[in-house]
Amino acid sequence: MDALGFAAEQMVGRERAAQIEAEAERVVPEVTDAPAWPVLRSQLMLLAASGADPGEVLRNAVRDGSLEAARDPAAVLSYRLNWVDRNGPLPWLSKVPDRLAEHLQWGPYLASRSELVRDLAAQVHEASGATEHRWQEALSADLFPELVAQISVWRAAMGVPADDLSPTGPTQVPGSASRWQRVLDDHVGLSSPTLRHWTAVARQLAPQLRDDPQTPVLAAKLASLAHEGEDLPELLGRAMRRGPLPDDHAAAALLYRLERRPRQEPIHEVWETVEFTESMGQRHERMRPPGMDRPHGYGIGI
C-alpha cells in the first residue's frame, strides 16, 4: 500500500499533486487538516495516476452523505472511496492499476511486491493446518480449515500477536480492511450453532458489539458459562447494569465484568449442642455461623 501511494505520487508529479490538494480543500474546507488526510491524499493520488479525475470522485463521495457530524471528514471520505477491485494480492487489496502496471520503472517493482505478498500469503495459508492456534482454542469451536487459513493470513498480514485471542485482532480503521475483518468475524460467529446463538445474544446487548472483533471470544465465554450451569440472564443483566459499555473494546469490557463478577460463597450450616452449667440444668441445640467464636464457659459437643 505504501509503495502504491508513493509510486502514484511520483507519476502524478509535484505540480499536479498540489492542484489535487487545493481542489480537495475547495470541495471540503479544512479536509487537509483532518487526521486521516494522508490516507485520503494517497487515494486521490492513486486515482489520478490511474487516469480518473480525483476532484470529481471526491465530489461524488461528498454527495453520498452529510459530513457535518463527522469527527474526521477525511476518514469518512476515505471509507467511501476505499472499494477493492478483484484480483488483488489479498482480499482487501486491489490489484496494481493498469497505468502503474505499465510504467517502465514502477510497473515491474509493484508487480514483484504484489507477487511476494501472494507467495507469503500462500505459505501462511498452507501452514495453518499444521499449526496450533491459541485463538482457536479460546473459541472452543471446530472451524472450517479454509476459514482458519484465511484468518491466519489476516493475522500475519496485520501483525496480530499470538497472545491476542480475538480471531482477527484489533479493530481496523474503516475501509476495505475493516470490511474484510467483519466478513471473517461474521463467519466465525456463524461457524457453529452454539457460537451463532451466543453471538446473536451478545450483539443484542449493545450496538458496539456488532462490529467488535472480540465478540466471538465473548460468545465463546457465554457458551462456556452456560455449559457450567450459570444463570446467564442474571449475569448479563448485572454486568450491563454497571454502566454503558465503552465505544472501543466493548466486548473486552463486558468480558472483564463477567470474569470479575462477585462470587457468592456457599453457607455451610453447622449445628452444635450447647450444654449449660449443671446449676442451670438445661440443654439445647442452636445454629452457629462458620467461624463464630464459641462462648466462654460453655461445654460444646457437636
Side-chain angles (χ1 to χ4, degrees), residues 272-293:
E272 62 184 7
T273 301
V274 181
E275 297 180 358
F276 293 88
T277 59
E278 292 181 0
S279 61
M280 298 176 67
Q282 294 177 341
R283 172 188 175 92
H284 74 272
E285 293 182 330
R286 69 174 184 179
M287 281 291 295
R288 175 174 63 81
M292 189 186 82
D293 293 335

Side-chain angles (χ1 to χ4, degrees), residues 5-191:
F6 185 82
E9 187 165 355
Q10 296 301 306
M11 284 188 61
V12 167
R14 185 176 302 177
E15 184 178 348
R16 177 62 179 136
Q19 293 173 356
I20 293 172
E21 289 186 13
E23 188 169 10
E25 189 69 18
R26 284 194 297 272
V27 174
V28 184
E30 300 183 356
V31 70
T32 56
D33 295 327
W37 166 247
V39 178
L40 178 60
R41 181 181 184 278
S42 179
Q43 289 174 287
L44 295 176
M45 299 301 162
L46 197 56
L47 285 167
S50 303
D53 182 346
E56 183 59 29
V57 173
L58 192 61
R59 281 188 287 273
N60 288 335
V62 170
R63 285 193 283 267
D64 284 345
S66 174
L67 299 172
E68 290 183 4
R71 288 179 295 179
D72 187 342
V76 176
L77 292 169
S78 175
Y79 177 78
R80 294 176 184 176
L81 296 181
N82 198 357
W83 293 98
V84 176
D85 298 327
R86 293 184 177 181
N87 303 318
L90 292 171
W92 61 94
L93 297 181
S94 295
K95 67 175 185 176
V96 179
D98 291 341
R99 288 198 178 189
L100 278 173
E102 295 167 359
H103 192 273
L104 293 179
Q105 178 185 0
W106 290 108
Y109 171 76
L110 292 173
S112 294
R113 298 295 299 178
S114 183
E115 193 61 31
L116 177 60
V117 172
R118 292 180 192 275
D119 290 343
L120 293 173
Q123 291 177 32
V124 174
H125 189 286
E126 185 176 353
S128 67
T131 305
E132 294 183 1
H133 305 284
R134 292 178 59 189
W135 61 267
Q136 190 177 358
E137 294 175 4
L139 293 177
S140 301
D142 293 329
L143 305 182
F144 290 115
E146 178 59 26
L147 178 57
V148 175
Q150 292 282 1
I151 292 175
S152 297
V153 171
W154 167 271
R155 290 174 69 96
M158 296 301 178
V160 180
D163 59 358
D164 187 334
L165 301 184
S166 55
T168 59
T171 305
Q172 294 297 310
V173 175
S176 58
S178 69
R179 285 191 286 269
W180 182 246
Q181 183 178 29
R182 272 202 305 277
V183 169
L184 294 175
D185 288 336
D186 286 344
H187 276 78
V188 171
L190 297 172
S191 59

